[in-house]
Each structure stands twice: as C-alpha cells, then as structure tokens.
Amino acid sequence: MRPDSVDNADLDRSACMEAATSSMNDDETTIFQLRQVVDRFVAERDWHQFHTPKNLAMSLAIEAAELMEHFQWLTPEQSWQVADRSEKKAEVGEEISDVLCYLLALANELKLDLSTALEAKMVKNAEKYPVHRYRGLFGPEDPAGKG
C-alpha cells in the first residue's frame, strides 16, 4: 500500500493544470510546485500503484542513460555545442525533464525533503573535498594534485 501523496497535495486541479501549462521558469518555480505537478500527473492516471521506490529508481537510471546517449561519442567540445543547436538542446531538455520527473516522483513516494537532503550532502562533500585541497582538481586521483 502506498503512503499518502505529497503533503498539501490537494492542490486545486485548475491551479495545478495552470502551473503545468503556464510558463514556469527556474527563477519563480519552487521545488514544491514541481513536485505537485508531477504528483498530480501521476495521480490523475492512477499510476501511484506502480510507483514503488524500486520501479522509480530503475526508471530514473533508464532515463539518465537516454540522456547520456545524446552525448555518447561526442568530444568534450562537441558536447558544449549542444547548447547552440536548438533541436538537439530541446531533445536533451526532454531527457533531463524525464530524469527530473522520476527524481521528483521518487522523492514524493519516499517523502524525502530534497532541499534538506541536498544541503546535508553538500556539507558532507565540503568536508570530504575541502577547497584548499581540491580547488581545480577533479578529485583525489587527479594527477595534478599528486606530488
């Protein structure tokens, strides 16, 4: 049995559809609003029954692989050029959106506060990779940091 959906998910249907079809942008849209849009989409289709953490994690990995396909075999320079090709950028945007939808759906099902989780992870990362030791290096195996 699935736990209740996102807290305060009784978002008015017309308000949710307005949010889903309006021009949302990163400067004005909150993570909570994005979670609500995904939750409403899933609920309207009665898909919560299929949204187990296992299924969502697998779907997230599959969509991430589809995103990687757009960059497979490109040089690093060519990968940057994707941003300059509107059709390719739109295709990549769709794959990124698929990844985000599954990530938000998984957070919804697990009742995981993404902001809290990200903040805690960044604190751990800052401790693991202190600026004075890793600035300009990709990690502990970077040859430029040896010596």
Side-chain angles (χ1 to χ4, degrees):
M1 175 73 50
R2 178 198 172 272
D4 292 336
S5 57
V6 176
D7 294 337
N8 299 323
D10 338 336
L11 179 66
D12 180 292
R13 178 183 171 83
S14 61
C16 185
M17 290 313 295
E18 180 181 315
T21 57
S22 69
S23 21
M24 298 172 77
N25 64 66
D26 288 348
D27 290 334
E28 299 173 7
T29 308
T30 67
I31 293 172
F32 181 72
Q33 289 170 317
L34 294 175
R35 289 176 72 145
Q36 288 179 317
V37 169
V38 170
D39 190 62
R40 176 62 65 186
F41 181 88
V42 171
E44 288 176 342
R45 287 153 183 80
D46 191 26
W47 286 352
H48 283 295
Q49 62 183 317
F50 309 116
H51 280 202
T52 65
K54 177 201 75 79
N55 288 348
L56 292 170
M58 292 176 70
S59 296
L60 176 60
I62 291 165
E63 292 300 340
E66 290 180 15
L67 173 61
M68 289 188 298
E69 283 183 312
H70 288 276
F71 298 98
Q72 186 178 21
W73 312 120
L74 298 183
T75 65
E77 295 77 22
Q78 290 169 326
S79 71
W80 283 110
Q81 294 169 1
V82 166
D84 300 327
R85 298 175 48 208
S86 60
E87 184 177 319
K88 190 68 170 171
K89 184 177 179 178
E91 291 171 6
V92 167
E94 286 191 16
E95 298 302 342
I96 290 172
S97 296
D98 286 340
V99 169
L100 180 59
C101 282
Y102 280 117
L103 179 68
L104 294 171
L106 181 57
N108 285 348
E109 295 301 328
L110 295 175
K111 298 200 177 312
L112 178 70
D113 186 294
L114 290 170
S115 296
T116 301
L118 178 64
E119 182 179 41
K121 183 61 176 176
M122 294 309 295
V123 167
K124 284 176 84 171
N125 285 347
E127 292 169 359
K128 185 175 180 180
Y129 303 105
V131 173
H132 70 277
R133 286 187 44 214
Y134 289 96
R135 184 167 180 80
L137 304 176
F138 63 73
E141 301 303 316
D142 191 324
K146 304 277 185 196

